[in-house]
mmCIF file of all heavy atoms in Angstrom:
data_model
loop_
_atom_site.group_PDB
_atom_site.id
_atom_site.type_symbol
_atom_site.label_atom_id
_atom_site.label_comp_id
_atom_site.label_asym_id
_atom_site.label_seq_id
_atom_site.Cartn_x
_atom_site.Cartn_y
_atom_site.Cartn_z
ATOM 1 N N TRP A 288 32.931 4.576 -145.404
ATOM 2 C CA TRP A 288 33.122 5.910 -145.961
ATOM 3 C C TRP A 288 32.468 6.986 -145.089
ATOM 4 O O TRP A 288 32.833 8.149 -145.141
ATOM 5 C CB TRP A 288 32.581 5.989 -147.380
ATOM 6 C CG TRP A 288 31.094 5.790 -147.473
ATOM 7 C CD1 TRP A 288 30.444 4.601 -147.622
ATOM 8 C CD2 TRP A 288 30.087 6.796 -147.402
ATOM 9 N NE1 TRP A 288 29.081 4.804 -147.636
ATOM 10 C CE2 TRP A 288 28.843 6.152 -147.501
ATOM 11 C CE3 TRP A 288 30.108 8.184 -147.257
ATOM 12 C CZ2 TRP A 288 27.632 6.835 -147.456
ATOM 13 C CZ3 TRP A 288 28.903 8.859 -147.219
ATOM 14 C CH2 TRP A 288 27.691 8.192 -147.326
ATOM 15 N N MET A 289 31.511 6.582 -144.253
ATOM 16 C CA MET A 289 30.809 7.537 -143.404
ATOM 17 C C MET A 289 31.624 7.949 -142.174
ATOM 18 O O MET A 289 31.293 8.923 -141.512
ATOM 19 C CB MET A 289 29.469 6.952 -142.955
ATOM 20 C CG MET A 289 28.515 6.694 -144.104
ATOM 21 S SD MET A 289 27.050 5.799 -143.595
ATOM 22 C CE MET A 289 26.155 7.076 -142.750
ATOM 23 N N LEU A 290 32.691 7.241 -141.898
ATOM 24 C CA LEU A 290 33.522 7.532 -140.739
ATOM 25 C C LEU A 290 34.173 8.899 -140.913
ATOM 26 O O LEU A 290 34.872 9.148 -141.883
ATOM 27 C CB LEU A 290 34.594 6.447 -140.578
ATOM 28 C CG LEU A 290 35.531 6.583 -139.393
ATOM 29 C CD1 LEU A 290 34.756 6.455 -138.091
ATOM 30 C CD2 LEU A 290 36.607 5.526 -139.464
ATOM 31 N N ARG A 291 33.938 9.802 -139.984
ATOM 32 C CA ARG A 291 34.468 11.160 -140.072
ATOM 33 C C ARG A 291 35.674 11.378 -139.152
ATOM 34 O O ARG A 291 36.396 12.347 -139.321
ATOM 35 C CB ARG A 291 33.381 12.180 -139.712
ATOM 36 C CG ARG A 291 32.212 12.156 -140.675
ATOM 37 C CD ARG A 291 32.592 12.870 -141.959
ATOM 38 N NE ARG A 291 31.439 12.956 -142.836
ATOM 39 C CZ ARG A 291 31.401 12.451 -144.048
ATOM 40 N NH1 ARG A 291 32.435 11.821 -144.531
ATOM 41 N NH2 ARG A 291 30.332 12.575 -144.781
ATOM 42 N N ALA A 292 35.869 10.495 -138.191
ATOM 43 C CA ALA A 292 36.998 10.636 -137.269
ATOM 44 C C ALA A 292 38.297 10.408 -138.029
ATOM 45 O O ALA A 292 38.357 9.600 -138.951
ATOM 46 C CB ALA A 292 36.867 9.653 -136.123
ATOM 47 N N LYS A 293 39.360 11.099 -137.619
ATOM 48 C CA LYS A 293 40.662 10.954 -138.275
ATOM 49 C C LYS A 293 41.376 9.695 -137.835
ATOM 50 O O LYS A 293 42.410 9.346 -138.379
ATOM 51 C CB LYS A 293 41.528 12.170 -137.991
ATOM 52 C CG LYS A 293 40.978 13.420 -138.625
ATOM 53 C CD LYS A 293 41.872 14.608 -138.393
ATOM 54 C CE LYS A 293 41.229 15.821 -139.041
ATOM 55 N NZ LYS A 293 42.093 16.949 -139.118
ATOM 56 N N SER A 294 40.827 9.016 -136.830
ATOM 57 C CA SER A 294 41.450 7.809 -136.304
ATOM 58 C C SER A 294 40.393 6.959 -135.616
ATOM 59 O O SER A 294 39.376 7.471 -135.158
ATOM 60 C CB SER A 294 42.540 8.188 -135.290
ATOM 61 O OG SER A 294 43.097 7.042 -134.702
ATOM 62 N N ILE A 295 40.671 5.651 -135.526
ATOM 63 C CA ILE A 295 39.800 4.776 -134.744
ATOM 64 C C ILE A 295 40.463 4.405 -133.419
ATOM 65 O O ILE A 295 39.901 3.675 -132.631
ATOM 66 C CB ILE A 295 39.433 3.488 -135.518
ATOM 67 C CG1 ILE A 295 40.692 2.679 -135.828
ATOM 68 C CG2 ILE A 295 38.633 3.796 -136.756
ATOM 69 C CD1 ILE A 295 40.412 1.238 -136.206
ATOM 70 N N VAL A 296 41.661 4.930 -133.188
ATOM 71 C CA VAL A 296 42.436 4.586 -131.995
ATOM 72 C C VAL A 296 42.135 5.594 -130.890
ATOM 73 O O VAL A 296 42.329 6.802 -131.079
ATOM 74 C CB VAL A 296 43.941 4.549 -132.315
ATOM 75 C CG1 VAL A 296 44.762 4.242 -131.081
ATOM 76 C CG2 VAL A 296 44.213 3.513 -133.406
ATOM 77 N N LEU A 297 41.689 5.100 -129.750
ATOM 78 C CA LEU A 297 41.306 5.953 -128.630
ATOM 79 C C LEU A 297 42.415 6.932 -128.241
ATOM 80 O O LEU A 297 42.165 8.118 -128.041
ATOM 81 C CB LEU A 297 40.910 5.079 -127.432
ATOM 82 C CG LEU A 297 40.439 5.785 -126.180
ATOM 83 C CD1 LEU A 297 39.253 6.697 -126.462
ATOM 84 C CD2 LEU A 297 40.082 4.763 -125.110
ATOM 85 N N VAL A 298 43.652 6.464 -128.154
ATOM 86 C CA VAL A 298 44.763 7.345 -127.772
ATOM 87 C C VAL A 298 44.934 8.462 -128.790
ATOM 88 O O VAL A 298 45.126 9.626 -128.418
ATOM 89 C CB VAL A 298 46.080 6.549 -127.631
ATOM 90 C CG1 VAL A 298 47.254 7.480 -127.372
ATOM 91 C CG2 VAL A 298 45.962 5.532 -126.520
ATOM 92 N N ASN A 299 44.861 8.146 -130.073
ATOM 93 C CA ASN A 299 44.992 9.178 -131.106
ATOM 94 C C ASN A 299 43.882 10.215 -130.982
ATOM 95 O O ASN A 299 44.125 11.415 -131.151
ATOM 96 C CB ASN A 299 44.973 8.554 -132.501
ATOM 97 C CG ASN A 299 46.236 7.770 -132.803
ATOM 98 O OD1 ASN A 299 47.239 7.886 -132.111
ATOM 99 N ND2 ASN A 299 46.177 6.949 -133.829
ATOM 100 N N LEU A 300 42.685 9.774 -130.666
ATOM 101 C CA LEU A 300 41.570 10.706 -130.501
ATOM 102 C C LEU A 300 41.780 11.596 -129.280
ATOM 103 O O LEU A 300 41.525 12.798 -129.326
ATOM 104 C CB LEU A 300 40.249 9.942 -130.399
ATOM 105 C CG LEU A 300 39.846 9.181 -131.662
ATOM 106 C CD1 LEU A 300 38.654 8.280 -131.398
ATOM 107 C CD2 LEU A 300 39.575 10.129 -132.814
#
Side-chain angles (χ1 to χ4, degrees):
W288 64 271
M289 296 172 75
L290 181 64
R291 297 283 185 239
K293 293 183 181 192
S294 176
I295 62 163
V296 178
L297 182 56
V298 174
N299 289 346
L300 295 171

